[in-house]
Amino acid sequence: MRKSREFMILAGLWCGPTKPSMNFFLDPLCKAFDELEKGVPLFPEENEDEQIQAFLLGVSCDTPARSAVLNMNQHNGECCCSKCVQSGKNRRTATGGNVRIFPYDERNPTGPKRSHEMMLRNAREALDSKSTHVNGIKGPSVIMFCPRVDCVKSVCIDYMHLVCLGVVRLFLKLCFDVTHSLNDFSLYRYVDIVDQRLESIKLPHFINRQPRSISEHLKFWKAAELRSWLL
Ligand SMILES: [Zn+2]
């Protein structure tokens, strides 16, 4: 119900040749949350005593927007994860691009954890030291000071890019792409069987799209198809 258009409030819209400065763009919204934390009358004309309060509990945005909203390094920069402070390593891709990789650390696979307090401290340190970033944080962001918001717990991960189009697609490529067919983990020799089974699946009503063949169409699979595969 909360996703239906009827219950959404368009609070801001930016038109311009470049993306907005997030602190400038979000400032009015954060000021509104300051007011809502104190409480505002529900029916100002009738009854001043009946007050409502509202708090920002969750922030949902895609990965590039998340970096801007939290004023932190982009997804290919050092310490770019909003949940931990692993620095990661830069890796050149075959096509000349750069990606950030996080080699698996058996002793501490998901840590050291980031916390909201650490983010505030790092933002202050980055500002004071005039360094480009401290633990990936480039400086303060207005969202850090919204009442009750926790910049680590409240900010969702970008499921579409990171999980569906990221990890799920990578695993499918590793398993079924001809370029890995000589590796022990490859399932390339079974791809026709998997395709046949995909085609014969009777879909439940909440999945709209009949799965397409892995051998011919994997590079065109949409995020929703990758999600259906995962689930
Ligand atoms: Zn992390």
Side-chain angles (χ1 to χ4, degrees):
M1 192 169 83
R2 64 199 162 87
K3 287 182 187 166
S4 105
R5 218 174 261 192
E6 201 184 334
F7 299 106
M8 285 186 184
I9 299 171
L10 178 65
L13 184 67
W14 180 265
C15 299
T18 56
K19 290 175 189 174
S21 151
M22 272 302 169
N23 279 344
F24 173 74
F25 181 64
L26 293 176
D27 190 50
L29 195 68
C30 290
K31 286 196 174 121
F33 277 112
D34 278 341
E35 288 298 308
L36 285 166
E37 186 199 22
K38 290 179 208 142
V40 292
L42 188 56
F43 304 107
E45 259 114 74
E46 296 163 29
N47 180 2
E48 280 283 323
D49 296 335
E50 204 171 339
Q51 301 247 321
I52 54 158
Q53 286 176 288
F55 307 98
L56 182 61
L57 296 178
V59 178
S60 168
C61 43
D62 74 0
T63 306
R66 184 221 58 184
S67 318
V69 166
L70 295 175
N71 199 5
M72 66 181 295
N73 283 345
Q74 294 223 35
H75 59 278
N76 53 0
E78 204 180 326
C79 295
C80 57
C81 176
S82 63
K83 305 289 177 190
C84 75
V85 290
Q86 287 187 17
S87 74
K89 288 181 178 162
N90 191 60
R91 168 71 62 91
R92 295 282 284 178
T93 62
T95 49
N98 288 291
V99 288
R100 199 82 198 162
I101 57 163
F102 293 87
Y104 189 73
D105 180 355
E106 260 178 45
R107 288 159 304 163
N108 196 2
T110 57
K113 301 273 189 209
R114 214 185 263 285
S115 69
H116 181 70
E117 292 67 33
M118 184 196 268
M119 263 193 181
L120 291 178
R121 207 167 52 242
N122 292 160
R124 162 61 65 190
E125 286 160 359
L127 197 65
D128 290 346
S129 64
K130 297 196 170 58
S131 47
T132 50
H133 71 93
V134 174
N135 284 332
I137 308 296
K138 298 199 277 191
S141 142
V142 290
I143 207 99
M144 291 175 182
F145 304 101
C146 261
R148 302 206 191 180
V149 84
D150 182 310
C151 283
V152 177
K153 291 182 186 153
S154 309
V155 179
C156 312
I157 65 157
D158 176 2
Y159 183 80
M160 187 182 91
H161 284 107
L162 301 179
V163 179
C164 301
L165 294 165
V167 178
V168 179
R169 187 153 66 179
L170 174 66
F171 268 95
L172 274 166
K173 273 191 202 163
L174 288 170
C175 290
F176 296 111
D177 200 280
V178 65
T179 48
H180 305 290
S181 58
L182 297 177
N183 291 93
D184 289 345
F185 58 76
S186 174
L187 298 172
Y188 179 69
R189 60 189 178 281
Y190 302 116
V191 72
D192 289 337
I193 301 173
V194 176
D195 274 349
Q196 275 169 20
R197 292 191 182 171
L198 272 179
E199 272 170 37
S200 58
I201 284 178
K202 295 270 180 292
L203 296 176
H205 71 279
F206 52 84
I207 294 181
N208 302 323
R209 199 189 261 271
Q210 183 72 33
R212 289 187 282 178
S213 132
I214 291 178
S215 57
E216 286 176 38
H217 295 115
L218 181 58
K219 57 175 176 289
F220 306 112
W221 275 29
K222 304 267 183 221
E225 291 172 282
L226 292 156
R227 182 184 55 191
S228 303
W229 169 270
L230 174 67
L231 300 178

